[in-house]
Amino acid sequence: MIIPVKGTPQAKSRMDPIPGLPLAIALDTVEAALAAAEVLVVTSASAAELFLHLGSRVVIDHGGGLNAAANQGLAAAKSGNRAVLLGDLPALQPGELTEALDAALQFPGTFVPDAEGEGTTLITARAGFAHRPAFGPQSRVAHQDWGYVELQVDVQSGLRRDVDTQTHLRGIPSARLGARTRGILEECSLLGVQPD
């Protein structure tokens, strides 16, 4: 499992400057993923130690953006079945990821769309299927065009709830958020998230 994480103060610029929030979201995402699979994080040198401490492998990001980081991780990963997961899923539960990875084994390549139905949060490929990460605007269509099969995952699943803005974050029940994310929002009195 490859998880690209920018790991710099400029990460998630649309989130507004809440110190530590993007990194907290990434750490919560990686921790949940580690309960379901081995994880290789592609991130900055300054953030590497934090992810190593969680138990993931780390590759230092050479720059070039999200898809370049995903490809860098894929090149460094073991051969065989490989997946790329976005690092901004603070409500992800390990069981949700395990279920998706198990379902993905039925197809050469699969993807999970985000809650809005336009982006992508996860792509998987079995051995022999060439990964083509196309994360970004309209990535759902892009991944379909590359031959990935859409997995049917409930829209309320944490696997589909990526966060790019505070509005996205406030749409997630607070009890579902990872502990680091929830803690920062509590400190900033921003837990105006939907009631549980």
Side-chain angles (χ1 to χ4, degrees):
M1 170 79 57
I2 292 94
I3 304 181
V5 175
K6 195 167 187 179
T8 67
Q10 292 75 37
K12 292 291 174 192
S13 57
R14 288 187 289 163
M15 190 74 75
D16 293 335
I18 300 174
L21 181 59
L23 188 56
I25 290 171
L27 288 165
D28 284 338
T29 302
V30 170
E31 186 170 61
L34 279 165
E38 293 184 3
V39 173
L40 187 157
V41 176
V42 183
T43 192
S44 66
S46 61
E49 190 62 36
L50 294 169
F51 295 102
L52 287 168
H53 183 72
L54 288 181
S56 70
R57 293 172 58 208
V58 170
V59 169
I60 303 304
D61 187 357
H62 293 159
L66 177 58
N67 291 310
N71 281 314
Q72 188 183 337
L74 288 166
K78 298 174 184 176
S79 58
N81 299 340
R82 295 176 297 167
V84 180
L85 179 74
L86 293 188
D88 59 354
L89 300 164
L92 178 66
Q93 303 299 308
E96 296 169 336
L97 181 55
T98 298
E99 186 175 343
L101 293 175
D102 287 345
L105 295 175
Q106 303 174 58
F107 308 98
T110 70
F111 75 97
V112 173
D114 63 13
E116 286 75 31
E118 296 181 355
T120 307
T121 62
L122 172 73
I123 56 174
T124 75
R126 287 175 19 204
F129 183 90
H131 257 310
R132 294 180 184 269
F135 295 102
Q138 305 301 316
S139 64
R140 180 184 193 172
V141 172
H143 286 124
Q144 284 176 324
D145 288 347
W146 285 122
Y148 291 90
V149 174
E150 182 174 335
L151 292 178
Q152 299 305 307
V153 175
D154 189 278
V155 72
Q156 296 303 320
S157 169
L159 183 55
R160 295 188 62 178
R161 304 298 292 273
D162 63 326
V163 294
D164 293 314
T165 66
Q166 285 192 32
T167 299
H168 289 159
L169 202 51
R170 288 194 176 97
I172 301 174
S174 59
R176 297 202 61 197
L177 293 170
R180 297 171 188 82
T181 304
R182 189 168 58 249
I184 287 180
L185 293 177
E186 287 173 348
E187 287 176 10
C188 298
S189 301
L190 286 173
L191 264 186
V193 187
Q194 290 180 355
D196 306 332

